[in-house]
């Protein structure tokens, strides 16, 4: 793969995470204004995390580009690389989980991008993006069954495993195994339609749309089923109102205070938005 292409994709991956981090105000999330509902992390923690993860973006991409054979085998390689990246992230953040979910999704997407680039070229079209997520779906077809088959016997469960046991929600694993349908069928078309808006407003509106649709594991973990449903309903109401710019930003500021009071943070929605921003960057649509 041409070095310039590798550099471009790595830079776009880093930029997507920095863009998501910088969006403000983000309800319950770390942003430029405050730490949201988080007492253990801040804006600078996320900067350290992104820098630590960046070398792995190239590793994911090249793993896919160099892969020959069945796609589930590529997933196993990407998972191993992702675990190495996660350790680097946790070292940089002193043990704080800032981007575990985003790292998982970026590994799958960038691995699929590398595989796709064996026969295609940048910039991608929306049709290319859809095809790449079909590769992700093929790569992870058995992920949910494999990861959760023995979960009832485990004693130390991850957040995702706890949510599966309690609610039967499959989280980011289920999104991946389905080819990220909320991204390809809802969030990306929505963001493409909003291309004329200023970047910050465009992506903040995308965040609220994601909050209105996603089974957000972070909300479920922090608040339980009812709290997640309440946030989803409130976000859906705002999406349906199609508020003007001033009213929308006023709502974001007020809702940030609301979610902080509830100690809720829609981190899964933020991760999905980051992935969407990366997709648009490779479509040269930002």
């Amino acid at each position: 793969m041409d070095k310039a292409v590798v550099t471009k994709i790595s830079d776009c991956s880093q930029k997507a995470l920095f863009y998501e981090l910088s969006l403000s105000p983000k309800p319950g999330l770390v942003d430029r204004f405050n730490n949201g509902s988080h007492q253990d992390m801040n804006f600078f923690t996320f900067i350290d995390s992104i820098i630590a993860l960046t070398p792995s973006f190239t590793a994911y991409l090249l793993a896919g580009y160099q892969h020959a054979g069945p796609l589930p085998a590529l997933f196993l390689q990407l998972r191993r690389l992702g675990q190495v990246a996660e350790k680097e992230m946790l070292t940089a953040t002193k043990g704080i989980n800032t981007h575990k979910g985003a790292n998982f999704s970026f590994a799958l997407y960038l691995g699929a991008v590398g595989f796709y680039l064996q026969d295609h070229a940048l910039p991608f079209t929306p049709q290319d993006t859809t095809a790449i997520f079909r590769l992700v779906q093929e790569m992870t077809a058995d992920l949910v069954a494999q990861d959760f088959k023995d979960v009832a016997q485990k004693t130390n469960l991850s957040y995702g495993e706890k949510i599966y046991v309690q609610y039967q929600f499959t989280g980011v694993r289920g999104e991946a195994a389905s080819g990220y349908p909320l991204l390809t069928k809802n969030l990306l078309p929505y963001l493409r339609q909003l291309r004329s808006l200023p970047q910050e407003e465009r992506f903040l509106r995308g965040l609220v749309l994601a909050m209105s649709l996603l089974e957000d594991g972070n909300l479920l973990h922090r608040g339980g089923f009812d709290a997640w449903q309440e946030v989803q309903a409130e976000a859906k109401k705002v999406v349906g109102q199609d508020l003007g710019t001033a009213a929308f930003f006023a709502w974001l500021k007020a809702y940030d205070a609301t979610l902080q009071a509830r100690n809720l943070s829609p981190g899964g929605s933020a991760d999905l938005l980051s992935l969407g921003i990366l997709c648009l960057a490779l479509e040269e649509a930002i």
Side-chain angles (χ1 to χ4, degrees):
M1 186 183 296
D2 185 79
K3 184 177 180 181
V5 173
V6 174
T7 300
K8 177 181 176 65
I9 294 173
S10 178
D11 287 350
C12 286
S13 302
Q14 186 186 69
K15 180 166 73 172
L17 292 175
F18 276 129
Y19 272 30
E20 185 280 318
L21 169 62
S22 299
L23 297 173
S24 305
K26 293 198 302 286
L29 295 158
V30 174
D31 60 26
R32 301 195 314 273
F33 300 160
N34 60 57
N35 300 339
S37 300
H38 299 275
Q39 287 74 49
D40 59 346
M41 60 184 77
N42 58 36
F43 195 86
F44 299 100
T45 315
F46 275 82
I47 290 175
D48 292 342
S49 176
I50 294 167
I51 296 299
L53 287 173
T54 295
S56 293
F57 300 151
T58 296
Y60 302 150
L61 180 69
L62 293 179
Y65 187 71
Q66 295 163 0
H67 183 74
L71 285 172
L74 175 58
F75 167 72
L76 294 177
Q77 183 181 2
L78 291 169
R79 176 168 261 186
R80 289 191 293 269
L81 291 170
Q83 289 166 345
V84 172
E86 185 177 315
K87 289 179 181 178
E88 294 295 325
M89 175 195 78
L90 291 172
T91 297
T93 63
K94 298 178 175 59
I96 298 169
N97 172 19
T98 42
H99 286 108
K100 184 173 182 177
N103 179 48
F104 177 83
S105 293
F106 274 46
L108 297 182
Y109 174 71
L110 291 170
V113 165
F115 189 81
Y116 194 74
L117 286 173
Q118 293 179 11
D119 301 305
H120 300 82
L122 293 176
F124 293 145
T125 65
Q127 292 73 29
D128 289 322
T129 299
T130 299
I132 289 165
F133 281 105
R134 284 198 293 267
L135 295 176
V136 172
Q137 184 175 12
E138 183 179 345
M139 194 190 305
T140 58
D142 296 326
L143 176 60
V144 172
Q146 289 297 318
D147 272 18
F148 293 137
K149 65 179 180 180
D150 298 320
V151 71
Q153 284 73 49
K154 293 181 68 173
T155 53
N156 293 318
L157 299 179
S158 68
Y159 289 163
E161 289 168 337
K162 289 177 183 176
I163 288 167
Y164 178 77
V165 169
Q166 189 167 2
Y167 303 110
Q168 295 298 296
F169 283 7
T170 55
V172 70
R173 293 173 176 87
E175 276 290 300
S178 301
Y180 289 88
L182 292 182
L183 181 65
T184 59
K185 296 179 181 179
N186 300 98
L187 182 57
L188 282 173
Y190 183 73
L191 290 173
R192 293 181 187 116
Q193 289 174 2
L194 299 182
R195 188 170 183 175
S196 63
L197 289 180
Q199 295 282 48
E200 188 157 52
E201 181 179 354
R202 179 191 188 190
F203 294 135
L204 282 168
R205 288 184 183 273
L207 174 66
V208 177
L209 180 71
M211 290 165 58
S212 77
L213 296 170
L214 185 69
E215 291 179 359
D216 194 312
N218 292 61
L219 291 174
L220 284 159
H221 174 71
R222 280 176 165 261
F225 186 86
D226 291 342
W228 160 66
Q229 284 212 311
E230 186 175 19
V231 170
Q232 192 172 63
E234 290 163 347
K236 282 180 179 176
K237 181 179 178 180
V238 170
V239 172
Q241 288 175 335
D242 194 25
L243 298 173
T245 298
F248 177 63
F249 275 89
W251 176 83
L252 286 172
K253 183 177 180 180
Y255 199 55
D256 184 25
T258 297
L259 291 196
Q260 287 186 46
R262 298 180 193 167
N263 195 34
L264 296 175
S265 175
S269 301
D271 289 343
L272 191 68
L273 177 64
S274 297
L275 185 58
I277 294 172
L278 173 54
C279 294
L280 292 178
L282 297 187
E283 293 176 14
E284 297 187 354
I286 59 174

